[in-house]
mmCIF file of all heavy atoms in Angstrom:
data_model
loop_
_atom_site.group_PDB
_atom_site.id
_atom_site.type_symbol
_atom_site.label_atom_id
_atom_site.label_comp_id
_atom_site.label_asym_id
_atom_site.label_seq_id
_atom_site.Cartn_x
_atom_site.Cartn_y
_atom_site.Cartn_z
ATOM 1 N N GLY A 1 0.843 -1.222 -0.001
ATOM 2 C CA GLY A 1 -0.006 0.009 -0.001
ATOM 3 C C GLY A 1 0.832 1.270 0.018
ATOM 4 O O GLY A 1 0.563 2.232 -0.700
ATOM 5 N N ASP A 2 1.930 1.256 0.779
ATOM 6 C CA ASP A 2 2.813 2.408 0.816
ATOM 7 C C ASP A 2 3.464 2.621 -0.539
ATOM 8 O O ASP A 2 3.568 3.764 -1.022
ATOM 9 C CB ASP A 2 3.901 2.211 1.902
ATOM 10 C CG ASP A 2 3.287 2.249 3.282
ATOM 11 O OD1 ASP A 2 2.142 2.759 3.413
ATOM 12 O OD2 ASP A 2 3.931 1.743 4.254
ATOM 13 N N ASP A 3 3.884 1.570 -1.174
ATOM 14 C CA ASP A 3 4.528 1.689 -2.507
ATOM 15 C C ASP A 3 3.542 2.234 -3.536
ATOM 16 O O ASP A 3 3.855 3.056 -4.368
ATOM 17 C CB ASP A 3 5.055 0.320 -2.973
ATOM 18 C CG ASP A 3 6.228 -0.160 -2.110
ATOM 19 O OD1 ASP A 3 6.843 0.696 -1.436
ATOM 20 O OD2 ASP A 3 6.503 -1.371 -2.089
ATOM 21 N N GLU A 4 2.284 1.750 -3.464
ATOM 22 C CA GLU A 4 1.241 2.209 -4.396
ATOM 23 C C GLU A 4 0.958 3.685 -4.181
ATOM 24 O O GLU A 4 0.821 4.436 -5.117
ATOM 25 C CB GLU A 4 -0.020 1.390 -4.233
ATOM 26 C CG GLU A 4 -1.084 1.721 -5.221
ATOM 27 C CD GLU A 4 -2.313 0.784 -5.071
ATOM 28 O OE1 GLU A 4 -2.251 -0.120 -4.245
ATOM 29 O OE2 GLU A 4 -3.284 1.029 -5.821
ATOM 30 N N ALA A 5 0.865 4.110 -2.897
ATOM 31 C CA ALA A 5 0.601 5.527 -2.613
ATOM 32 C C ALA A 5 1.718 6.401 -3.058
ATOM 33 O O ALA A 5 1.562 7.496 -3.639
ATOM 34 C CB ALA A 5 0.414 5.712 -1.094
ATOM 35 N N ALA A 6 2.965 5.922 -2.884
ATOM 36 C CA ALA A 6 4.134 6.683 -3.313
ATOM 37 C C ALA A 6 4.141 6.800 -4.844
ATOM 38 O O ALA A 6 4.450 7.877 -5.407
ATOM 39 C CB ALA A 6 5.419 6.062 -2.823
ATOM 40 N N ALA A 7 3.753 5.718 -5.532
ATOM 41 C CA ALA A 7 3.721 5.753 -7.010
ATOM 42 C C ALA A 7 2.652 6.722 -7.488
ATOM 43 O O ALA A 7 2.865 7.518 -8.433
ATOM 44 C CB ALA A 7 3.419 4.343 -7.535
ATOM 45 N N GLU A 8 1.476 6.738 -6.819
ATOM 46 C CA GLU A 8 0.453 7.676 -7.200
ATOM 47 C C GLU A 8 0.850 9.097 -6.977
ATOM 48 O O GLU A 8 0.612 10.000 -7.796
ATOM 49 C CB GLU A 8 -0.850 7.373 -6.425
ATOM 50 C CG GLU A 8 -1.514 6.060 -6.798
ATOM 51 C CD GLU A 8 -2.752 5.758 -5.985
ATOM 52 O OE1 GLU A 8 -3.015 6.586 -5.066
ATOM 53 O OE2 GLU A 8 -3.479 4.770 -6.244
ATOM 54 N N LEU A 9 1.508 9.389 -5.851
ATOM 55 C CA LEU A 9 2.015 10.744 -5.537
ATOM 56 C C LEU A 9 3.055 11.179 -6.576
ATOM 57 O O LEU A 9 3.051 12.307 -7.051
ATOM 58 C CB LEU A 9 2.584 10.796 -4.156
ATOM 59 C CG LEU A 9 3.061 12.171 -3.638
ATOM 60 C CD1 LEU A 9 1.919 13.162 -3.651
ATOM 61 C CD2 LEU A 9 3.683 12.038 -2.257
ATOM 62 N N SER A 10 3.932 10.254 -6.926
ATOM 63 C CA SER A 10 4.976 10.628 -7.901
ATOM 64 C C SER A 10 4.338 10.923 -9.280
ATOM 65 O O SER A 10 4.733 11.832 -9.943
ATOM 66 C CB SER A 10 6.003 9.447 -8.045
ATOM 67 O OG SER A 10 6.922 9.724 -9.032
ATOM 68 N N ALA A 11 3.331 10.153 -9.666
ATOM 69 C CA ALA A 11 2.664 10.416 -10.984
ATOM 70 C C ALA A 11 1.915 11.744 -10.921
ATOM 71 O O ALA A 11 1.954 12.509 -11.896
ATOM 72 C CB ALA A 11 1.698 9.257 -11.231
ATOM 73 N N GLU A 12 1.319 12.065 -9.799
ATOM 74 C CA GLU A 12 0.608 13.323 -9.686
ATOM 75 C C GLU A 12 1.571 14.507 -9.801
ATOM 76 O O GLU A 12 1.310 15.525 -10.437
ATOM 77 C CB GLU A 12 -0.142 13.373 -8.350
ATOM 78 C CG GLU A 12 -0.964 14.688 -8.174
ATOM 79 C CD GLU A 12 -1.722 14.664 -6.863
ATOM 80 O OE1 GLU A 12 -1.668 13.640 -6.107
ATOM 81 O OE2 GLU A 12 -2.355 15.692 -6.552
ATOM 82 N N GLU A 13 2.730 14.425 -9.081
ATOM 83 C CA GLU A 13 3.754 15.472 -9.175
ATOM 84 C C GLU A 13 4.250 15.604 -10.588
ATOM 85 O O GLU A 13 4.520 16.746 -11.057
ATOM 86 C CB GLU A 13 4.872 15.158 -8.181
ATOM 87 C CG GLU A 13 4.495 15.274 -6.742
ATOM 88 C CD GLU A 13 5.617 14.887 -5.843
ATOM 89 O OE1 GLU A 13 6.660 14.334 -6.347
ATOM 90 O OE2 GLU A 13 5.537 15.077 -4.579
ATOM 91 N N LEU A 14 4.434 14.504 -11.260
ATOM 92 C CA LEU A 14 4.906 14.538 -12.674
ATOM 93 C C LEU A 14 3.925 15.263 -13.587
ATOM 94 O O LEU A 14 4.263 16.095 -14.397
ATOM 95 C CB LEU A 14 5.184 13.127 -13.167
ATOM 96 C CG LEU A 14 5.686 12.993 -14.599
ATOM 97 C CD1 LEU A 14 7.032 13.716 -14.766
ATOM 98 C CD2 LEU A 14 5.829 11.541 -15.010
ATOM 99 N N LEU A 15 2.650 14.928 -13.401
ATOM 100 C CA LEU A 15 1.601 15.582 -14.165
ATOM 101 C C LEU A 15 1.528 17.057 -13.890
ATOM 102 O O LEU A 15 1.352 17.917 -14.807
ATOM 103 C CB LEU A 15 0.264 14.920 -13.923
ATOM 104 C CG LEU A 15 0.068 13.480 -14.447
ATOM 105 C CD1 LEU A 15 -1.258 12.901 -14.000
ATOM 106 C CD2 LEU A 15 0.134 13.469 -15.982
ATOM 107 N N ARG A 16 1.687 17.427 -12.598
ATOM 108 C CA ARG A 16 1.647 18.823 -12.218
ATOM 109 C C ARG A 16 2.833 19.572 -12.847
ATOM 110 O O ARG A 16 2.676 20.707 -13.324
ATOM 111 C CB ARG A 16 1.706 18.969 -10.720
ATOM 112 C CG ARG A 16 1.473 20.397 -10.232
ATOM 113 C CD ARG A 16 1.489 20.503 -8.729
ATOM 114 N NE ARG A 16 0.392 19.783 -8.126
ATOM 115 C CZ ARG A 16 0.544 18.679 -7.419
ATOM 116 N NH1 ARG A 16 1.755 18.140 -7.229
ATOM 117 N NH2 ARG A 16 -0.501 18.062 -6.875
ATOM 118 N N ALA A 17 3.991 18.959 -12.850
ATOM 119 C CA ALA A 17 5.193 19.612 -13.450
ATOM 120 C C ALA A 17 4.975 19.768 -14.944
ATOM 121 O O ALA A 17 5.339 20.801 -15.507
ATOM 122 C CB ALA A 17 6.407 18.751 -13.174
ATOM 123 N N GLU A 18 4.450 18.729 -15.605
ATOM 124 C CA GLU A 18 4.202 18.861 -17.080
ATOM 125 C C GLU A 18 3.166 19.970 -17.363
ATOM 126 O O GLU A 18 3.302 20.722 -18.328
ATOM 127 C CB GLU A 18 3.722 17.541 -17.619
ATOM 128 C CG GLU A 18 4.784 16.460 -17.618
ATOM 129 C CD GLU A 18 4.270 15.182 -18.175
ATOM 130 O OE1 GLU A 18 3.055 15.064 -18.426
ATOM 131 O OE2 GLU A 18 5.081 14.227 -18.382
ATOM 132 N N ARG A 19 2.149 20.038 -16.511
ATOM 133 C CA ARG A 19 1.118 21.074 -16.676
ATOM 134 C C ARG A 19 1.771 22.479 -16.556
ATOM 135 O O ARG A 19 1.495 23.374 -17.375
ATOM 136 C CB ARG A 19 0.020 20.908 -15.632
ATOM 137 C CG ARG A 19 -1.085 21.950 -15.746
ATOM 138 C CD ARG A 19 -1.807 22.089 -14.439
ATOM 139 N NE ARG A 19 -0.919 22.604 -13.415
ATOM 140 C CZ ARG A 19 -1.225 22.690 -12.113
ATOM 141 N NH1 ARG A 19 -2.423 22.278 -11.705
ATOM 142 N NH2 ARG A 19 -0.353 23.169 -11.226
ATOM 143 N N ASP A 20 2.587 22.680 -15.522
ATOM 144 C CA ASP A 20 3.251 23.962 -15.355
ATOM 145 C C ASP A 20 4.171 24.293 -16.519
ATOM 146 O O ASP A 20 4.229 25.450 -16.959
ATOM 147 C CB ASP A 20 4.035 23.962 -14.053
ATOM 148 C CG ASP A 20 3.150 23.819 -12.816
ATOM 149 O OD1 ASP A 20 1.933 24.112 -12.936
ATOM 150 O OD2 ASP A 20 3.650 23.415 -11.750
ATOM 151 N N GLN A 21 4.831 23.273 -17.026
ATOM 152 C CA GLN A 21 5.739 23.491 -18.172
ATOM 153 C C GLN A 21 4.972 23.915 -19.424
ATOM 154 O O GLN A 21 5.310 24.884 -20.061
ATOM 155 C CB GLN A 21 6.545 22.203 -18.445
ATOM 156 C CG GLN A 21 7.537 22.361 -19.584
ATOM 157 C CD GLN A 21 8.305 21.071 -19.818
ATOM 158 O OE1 GLN A 21 8.011 20.079 -19.242
ATOM 159 N NE2 GLN A 21 9.290 21.111 -20.722
ATOM 160 N N PHE A 22 3.895 23.215 -19.704
ATOM 161 C CA PHE A 22 3.062 23.541 -20.887
ATOM 162 C C PHE A 22 2.408 24.916 -20.687
ATOM 163 O O PHE A 22 2.221 25.664 -21.654
ATOM 164 C CB PHE A 22 2.026 22.472 -21.161
ATOM 165 C CG PHE A 22 2.599 21.226 -21.770
ATOM 166 C CD1 PHE A 22 2.496 19.992 -21.146
ATOM 167 C CD2 PHE A 22 3.242 21.288 -22.991
ATOM 168 C CE1 PHE A 22 3.026 18.863 -21.725
ATOM 169 C CE2 PHE A 22 3.777 20.169 -23.580
ATOM 170 C CZ PHE A 22 3.680 18.949 -22.948
ATOM 171 N N GLU A 23 1.990 25.195 -19.470
ATOM 172 C CA GLU A 23 1.345 26.523 -19.220
ATOM 173 C C GLU A 23 2.359 27.609 -19.437
ATOM 174 O O GLU A 23 2.039 28.669 -20.036
ATOM 175 C CB GLU A 23 0.821 26.560 -17.788
ATOM 176 C CG GLU A 23 0.104 27.852 -17.453
ATOM 177 C CD GLU A 23 -0.414 27.893 -16.060
ATOM 178 O OE1 GLU A 23 -0.182 26.906 -15.303
ATOM 179 O OE2 GLU A 23 -1.119 28.835 -15.672
ATOM 180 N N GLY A 24 3.586 27.456 -19.014
ATOM 181 C CA GLY A 24 4.638 28.468 -19.210
ATOM 182 C C GLY A 24 4.922 28.647 -20.701
ATOM 183 O O GLY A 24 5.072 29.790 -21.169
ATOM 184 N N LYS A 25 5.017 27.524 -21.422
ATOM 185 C CA LYS A 25 5.199 27.650 -22.897
ATOM 186 C C LYS A 25 4.065 28.361 -23.562
ATOM 187 O O LYS A 25 4.272 29.185 -24.469
ATOM 188 C CB LYS A 25 5.414 26.283 -23.482
ATOM 189 C CG LYS A 25 6.691 25.578 -23.100
ATOM 190 C CD LYS A 25 6.848 24.193 -23.783
ATOM 191 C CE LYS A 25 8.157 23.538 -23.453
ATOM 192 N NZ LYS A 25 8.276 22.216 -24.086
ATOM 193 N N TRP A 26 2.876 28.024 -23.168
ATOM 194 C CA TRP A 26 1.677 28.635 -23.710
ATOM 195 C C TRP A 26 1.667 30.130 -23.496
ATOM 196 O O TRP A 26 1.363 30.945 -24.382
ATOM 197 C CB TRP A 26 0.433 28.020 -23.173
ATOM 198 C CG TRP A 26 -0.840 28.573 -23.693
ATOM 199 C CD1 TRP A 26 -1.424 28.339 -24.927
ATOM 200 C CD2 TRP A 26 -1.739 29.508 -23.028
ATOM 201 N NE1 TRP A 26 -2.608 29.072 -25.071
ATOM 202 C CE2 TRP A 26 -2.776 29.813 -23.916
ATOM 203 C CE3 TRP A 26 -1.692 30.121 -21.791
ATOM 204 C CZ2 TRP A 26 -3.805 30.670 -23.582
ATOM 205 C CZ3 TRP A 26 -2.712 31.008 -21.471
ATOM 206 C CH2 TRP A 26 -3.759 31.265 -22.341
ATOM 207 N N LEU A 27 1.982 30.561 -22.275
ATOM 208 C CA LEU A 27 2.017 31.994 -21.943
ATOM 209 C C LEU A 27 3.094 32.720 -22.773
ATOM 210 O O LEU A 27 2.855 33.833 -23.247
ATOM 211 C CB LEU A 27 2.286 32.199 -20.461
ATOM 212 C CG LEU A 27 1.164 31.751 -19.513
ATOM 213 C CD1 LEU A 27 1.594 31.907 -18.082
ATOM 214 C CD2 LEU A 27 -0.113 32.582 -19.789
ATOM 215 N N ARG A 28 4.233 32.064 -22.985
ATOM 216 C CA ARG A 28 5.316 32.714 -23.809
ATOM 217 C C ARG A 28 4.885 32.850 -25.230
ATOM 218 O O ARG A 28 5.101 33.872 -25.904
ATOM 219 C CB ARG A 28 6.595 31.885 -23.694
ATOM 220 C CG ARG A 28 7.313 32.074 -22.367
ATOM 221 C CD ARG A 28 8.724 31.487 -22.483
ATOM 222 N NE ARG A 28 8.744 30.064 -22.717
ATOM 223 C CZ ARG A 28 8.725 29.143 -21.731
ATOM 224 N NH1 ARG A 28 8.680 29.533 -20.484
ATOM 225 N NH2 ARG A 28 8.722 27.838 -22.053
ATOM 226 N N VAL A 29 4.199 31.806 -25.727
ATOM 227 C CA VAL A 29 3.744 31.879 -27.152
ATOM 228 C C VAL A 29 2.656 32.978 -27.292
ATOM 229 O O VAL A 29 2.670 33.730 -28.280
ATOM 230 C CB VAL A 29 3.130 30.499 -27.571
ATOM 231 C CG1 VAL A 29 2.401 30.619 -28.922
ATOM 232 C CG2 VAL A 29 4.252 29.459 -27.652
ATOM 233 N N VAL A 30 1.761 33.069 -26.319
ATOM 234 C CA VAL A 30 0.745 34.119 -26.402
ATOM 235 C C VAL A 30 1.346 35.505 -26.317
ATOM 236 O O VAL A 30 0.975 36.423 -27.081
ATOM 237 C CB VAL A 30 -0.271 33.987 -25.233
ATOM 238 C CG1 VAL A 30 -1.180 35.146 -25.118
ATOM 239 C CG2 VAL A 30 -1.101 32.687 -25.414
ATOM 240 N N ALA A 31 2.385 35.688 -25.474
ATOM 241 C CA ALA A 31 3.047 36.974 -25.365
ATOM 242 C C ALA A 31 3.801 37.308 -26.680
ATOM 243 O O ALA A 31 3.754 38.460 -27.168
ATOM 244 C CB ALA A 31 4.054 36.969 -24.173
ATOM 245 N N GLU A 32 4.473 36.310 -27.260
ATOM 246 C CA GLU A 32 5.178 36.562 -28.500
ATOM 247 C C GLU A 32 4.192 36.877 -29.652
ATOM 248 O O GLU A 32 4.458 37.737 -30.468
ATOM 249 C CB GLU A 32 6.002 35.305 -28.872
ATOM 250 C CG GLU A 32 7.211 35.077 -27.971
ATOM 251 C CD GLU A 32 7.926 33.807 -28.280
ATOM 252 O OE1 GLU A 32 7.456 33.080 -29.211
ATOM 253 O OE2 GLU A 32 8.920 33.471 -27.626
ATOM 254 N N LEU A 33 3.057 36.213 -29.648
ATOM 255 C CA LEU A 33 2.062 36.504 -30.690
ATOM 256 C C LEU A 33 1.501 37.877 -30.538
ATOM 257 O O LEU A 33 1.305 38.592 -31.535
ATOM 258 C CB LEU A 33 0.924 35.446 -30.593
ATOM 259 C CG LEU A 33 -0.206 35.624 -31.621
ATOM 260 C CD1 LEU A 33 0.338 35.513 -33.028
ATOM 261 C CD2 LEU A 33 -1.288 34.549 -31.380
ATOM 262 N N ASP A 34 1.263 38.316 -29.280
ATOM 263 C CA ASP A 34 0.751 39.649 -29.024
ATOM 264 C C ASP A 34 1.782 40.705 -29.464
ATOM 265 O O ASP A 34 1.434 41.712 -30.092
ATOM 266 C CB ASP A 34 0.426 39.780 -27.561
ATOM 267 C CG ASP A 34 -0.234 41.126 -27.254
ATOM 268 O OD1 ASP A 34 -1.260 41.459 -27.860
ATOM 269 O OD2 ASP A 34 0.309 41.888 -26.430
ATOM 270 N N ASN A 35 3.047 40.460 -29.132
ATOM 271 C CA ASN A 35 4.098 41.398 -29.559
ATOM 272 C C ASN A 35 4.243 41.442 -31.063
ATOM 273 O O ASN A 35 4.444 42.538 -31.666
ATOM 274 C CB ASN A 35 5.459 40.973 -28.931
ATOM 275 C CG ASN A 35 5.493 41.157 -27.453
ATOM 276 O OD1 ASN A 35 4.789 42.027 -26.908
ATOM 277 N ND2 ASN A 35 6.304 40.371 -26.755
ATOM 278 N N TYR A 36 4.093 40.305 -31.732
ATOM 279 C CA TYR A 36 4.132 40.267 -33.204
ATOM 280 C C TYR A 36 2.987 41.078 -33.800
ATOM 281 O O TYR A 36 3.200 41.826 -34.736
ATOM 282 C CB TYR A 36 4.096 38.839 -33.662
ATOM 283 C CG TYR A 36 3.908 38.713 -35.194
ATOM 284 C CD1 TYR A 36 4.942 38.966 -36.055
ATOM 285 C CD2 TYR A 36 2.673 38.388 -35.711
ATOM 286 C CE1 TYR A 36 4.765 38.868 -37.413
ATOM 287 C CE2 TYR A 36 2.437 38.314 -37.073
ATOM 288 C CZ TYR A 36 3.520 38.519 -37.959
ATOM 289 O OH TYR A 36 3.354 38.459 -39.282
ATOM 290 N N ARG A 37 1.821 40.932 -33.224
ATOM 291 C CA ARG A 37 0.649 41.698 -33.753
ATOM 292 C C ARG A 37 0.826 43.180 -33.573
ATOM 293 O O ARG A 37 0.582 43.947 -34.509
ATOM 294 C CB ARG A 37 -0.621 41.239 -33.016
ATOM 295 C CG ARG A 37 -1.113 39.849 -33.403
ATOM 296 C CD ARG A 37 -2.287 39.472 -32.576
ATOM 297 N NE ARG A 37 -2.825 38.146 -32.944
ATOM 298 C CZ ARG A 37 -3.751 37.478 -32.302
ATOM 299 N NH1 ARG A 37 -4.262 38.023 -31.169
ATOM 300 N NH2 ARG A 37 -4.164 36.326 -32.752
ATOM 301 N N LYS A 38 1.354 43.563 -32.428
ATOM 302 C CA LYS A 38 1.617 45.018 -32.203
ATOM 303 C C LYS A 38 2.674 45.548 -33.157
ATOM 304 O O LYS A 38 2.541 46.629 -33.707
ATOM 305 C CB LYS A 38 2.024 45.232 -30.746
ATOM 306 C CG LYS A 38 0.924 44.994 -29.713
ATOM 307 C CD LYS A 38 1.447 45.202 -28.302
ATOM 308 C CE LYS A 38 0.350 44.982 -27.293
ATOM 309 N NZ LYS A 38 0.805 45.156 -25.904
ATOM 310 N N ARG A 39 3.776 44.757 -33.280
ATOM 311 C CA ARG A 39 4.810 45.165 -34.216
ATOM 312 C C ARG A 39 4.338 45.265 -35.634
ATOM 313 O O ARG A 39 4.677 46.220 -36.376
ATOM 314 C CB ARG A 39 6.002 44.190 -34.102
ATOM 315 C CG ARG A 39 7.248 44.615 -34.914
ATOM 316 C CD ARG A 39 8.403 43.738 -34.572
ATOM 317 N NE ARG A 39 8.235 42.342 -34.819
ATOM 318 C CZ ARG A 39 7.988 41.434 -33.857
ATOM 319 N NH1 ARG A 39 7.985 41.777 -32.576
ATOM 320 N NH2 ARG A 39 7.813 40.152 -34.176
ATOM 321 N N ALA A 40 3.520 44.251 -36.065
ATOM 322 C CA ALA A 40 3.005 44.264 -37.415
ATOM 323 C C ALA A 40 2.084 45.489 -37.626
ATOM 324 O O ALA A 40 2.061 46.117 -38.680
ATOM 325 C CB ALA A 40 2.263 42.981 -37.728
ATOM 326 N N ARG A 41 1.271 45.807 -36.575
ATOM 327 C CA ARG A 41 0.380 46.960 -36.686
ATOM 328 C C ARG A 41 1.158 48.232 -36.786
ATOM 329 O O ARG A 41 0.771 49.135 -37.601
ATOM 330 C CB ARG A 41 -0.543 46.956 -35.461
ATOM 331 C CG ARG A 41 -1.711 47.951 -35.584
ATOM 332 C CD ARG A 41 -2.597 47.877 -34.335
ATOM 333 N NE ARG A 41 -3.189 46.563 -34.207
ATOM 334 C CZ ARG A 41 -2.920 45.715 -33.197
ATOM 335 N NH1 ARG A 41 -2.043 46.070 -32.266
ATOM 336 N NH2 ARG A 41 -3.517 44.588 -33.114
ATOM 337 N N ARG A 42 2.223 48.375 -36.008
ATOM 338 C CA ARG A 42 3.044 49.590 -36.113
ATOM 339 C C ARG A 42 3.729 49.673 -37.457
ATOM 340 O O ARG A 42 3.808 50.796 -38.042
ATOM 341 C CB ARG A 42 4.124 49.540 -35.002
ATOM 342 C CG ARG A 42 3.608 49.835 -33.622
ATOM 343 C CD ARG A 42 4.741 50.165 -32.684
ATOM 344 N NE ARG A 42 5.723 49.093 -32.615
ATOM 345 C CZ ARG A 42 5.693 48.107 -31.690
ATOM 346 N NH1 ARG A 42 4.695 48.075 -30.802
ATOM 347 N NH2 ARG A 42 6.609 47.132 -31.717
ATOM 348 N N GLU A 43 4.178 48.544 -37.988
ATOM 349 C CA GLU A 43 4.817 48.609 -39.284
ATOM 350 C C GLU A 43 3.855 48.996 -40.392
ATOM 351 O O GLU A 43 4.206 49.721 -41.314
ATOM 352 C CB GLU A 43 5.430 47.208 -39.592
ATOM 353 C CG GLU A 43 6.627 46.856 -38.738
ATOM 354 C CD GLU A 43 7.150 45.464 -38.993
ATOM 355 O OE1 GLU A 43 6.499 44.726 -39.789
ATOM 356 O OE2 GLU A 43 8.191 45.101 -38.447
ATOM 357 N N VAL A 44 2.608 48.518 -40.244
ATOM 358 C CA VAL A 44 1.605 48.892 -41.278
ATOM 359 C C VAL A 44 1.280 50.390 -41.204
ATOM 360 O O VAL A 44 1.243 51.049 -42.203
ATOM 361 C CB VAL A 44 0.295 48.073 -41.065
ATOM 362 C CG1 VAL A 44 -0.813 48.636 -41.903
ATOM 363 C CG2 VAL A 44 0.526 46.621 -41.414
ATOM 364 N N VAL A 45 1.186 50.888 -39.959
ATOM 365 C CA VAL A 45 0.916 52.324 -39.753
ATOM 366 C C VAL A 45 2.106 53.202 -40.307
ATOM 367 O O VAL A 45 1.883 54.160 -41.001
ATOM 368 C CB VAL A 45 0.653 52.631 -38.294
ATOM 369 C CG1 VAL A 45 0.629 54.160 -38.054
ATOM 370 C CG2 VAL A 45 -0.648 51.978 -37.832
ATOM 371 N N GLU A 46 3.334 52.729 -39.991
ATOM 372 C CA GLU A 46 4.490 53.474 -40.445
ATOM 373 C C GLU A 46 4.603 53.430 -41.972
ATOM 374 O O GLU A 46 4.935 54.433 -42.610
ATOM 375 C CB GLU A 46 5.744 52.913 -39.795
ATOM 376 C CG GLU A 46 5.876 53.228 -38.331
ATOM 377 C CD GLU A 46 5.995 54.701 -38.084
ATOM 378 O OE1 GLU A 46 6.684 55.407 -38.863
ATOM 379 O OE2 GLU A 46 5.435 55.176 -37.079
ATOM 380 N N THR A 47 4.351 52.259 -42.542
ATOM 381 C CA THR A 47 4.437 52.182 -44.024
ATOM 382 C C THR A 47 3.419 53.055 -44.668
ATOM 383 O O THR A 47 3.703 53.727 -45.663
ATOM 384 C CB THR A 47 4.195 50.693 -44.445
ATOM 385 O OG1 THR A 47 5.187 49.853 -43.836
ATOM 386 C CG2 THR A 47 4.286 50.543 -45.946
ATOM 387 N N ARG A 48 2.183 53.070 -44.122
ATOM 388 C CA ARG A 48 1.139 53.906 -44.706
ATOM 389 C C ARG A 48 1.525 55.414 -44.538
ATOM 390 O O ARG A 48 1.299 56.218 -45.445
ATOM 391 C CB ARG A 48 -0.162 53.605 -43.993
ATOM 392 C CG ARG A 48 -1.366 54.358 -44.537
ATOM 393 C CD ARG A 48 -2.599 53.945 -43.732
ATOM 394 N NE ARG A 48 -2.818 52.529 -43.804
ATOM 395 C CZ ARG A 48 -3.675 51.863 -43.005
ATOM 396 N NH1 ARG A 48 -4.337 52.580 -42.081
ATOM 397 N NH2 ARG A 48 -3.815 50.563 -43.138
#
């Protein structure tokens, strides 16, 4: 029972770490996309 509980806890921690990792990547991608949109909008305005 102790080994099974430890295995379940380890799997939960692994899933939580993967979730945090993917969340961080997602936030970085969203920020980069927002910066790209702003930069593209400025470039369009400047070109015009």
